[in-house]
Amino acid sequence: MKDLIPANLLAVLMLAGASATAAAQETGEPERQEVWLGDNFAVSYAARVEGDWLIVDVWHEPGWHTYAMDNVQRAREVTGKARPDTELPTRITPSPEIELAAPWRQTAPTELSQPELRWYTWGFGDRSFFAARVRRADPGSWVQVDAQACTDRLCAMVDGLRVPVTRGGGRSVDPESLAEVRSAED
């Protein structure tokens, strides 16, 4: 019985193992929050802090797309109208535990406009990213996503989707390579 581990040492080792497991989950692949329209899987979102950046990762199912954060500003530039005909932009609102240090950036959007219908819009398919430098991101933080996911014949509203924010291990995207989101003042 000399080879047995003392009970208090065993408890410390178990606690360390549980902490390591929790840390591994915290830095692992974040759980995706899915958006469905009936039986149609449209898009999923995940969010994490990588270094001093908040990254929101978006995966679009084949045939589905969402719209740029600055969709309305882009349509205003093209049409000169204060209220142009366009799709709803993506909005990402951080929880109170997150303090942003810089404006949002996004994957460079693709033009999806239909000028013959006087409809101007920009968006993303496949995989896209949104990123903002953070000053603070406390545990338990989340982002709320409001957006519109569409195909050529269906649209699903993404209303108040709460996406938990995890800590990322490595870089999924270079945030500096993303396009700056145009502000209303541009």
Side-chain angles (χ1 to χ4, degrees), residues 18 38 98 169:
I98 299 173

Side-chain angles (χ1 to χ4, degrees), residues 35-37 88 146-150 155-160:
V35 177
W36 291 75
L37 178 62
L88 296 175
D146 294 282
Q148 189 176 8
C150 296
C155 283
M157 296 308 297
V158 182
D159 288 323

Side-chain angles (χ1 to χ4, degrees), residues 93-129:
T93 308
S95 69
E97 298 85 6
I98 299 173
E99 183 180 354
L100 299 182
W104 284 99
R105 300 176 78 83
Q106 64 189 354
T107 298
T110 302
E111 186 168 0
L112 304 170
S113 299
Q114 297 177 10
E116 66 280 4
L117 301 176
R118 296 188 180 119
W119 197 261
Y120 301 92
T121 197
W122 291 259
F124 316 101
D126 300 320
R127 189 172 181 189
S128 59
F129 298 93

Side-chain angles (χ1 to χ4, degrees), residues 13 28-29 36 41 50 52 57 75 82 84 88 90 94 100 102 108 110 114-115 117 123 132 152 162 179 183:
L13 290 172
E29 181 71 24
W36 291 75
F41 179 32
E50 296 178 356
D52 59 349
D57 207 338
L88 296 175
T90 296
L100 299 182
T110 302
Q114 297 177 10
L117 301 176
D152 59 350
R162 189 177 277 198
S183 70

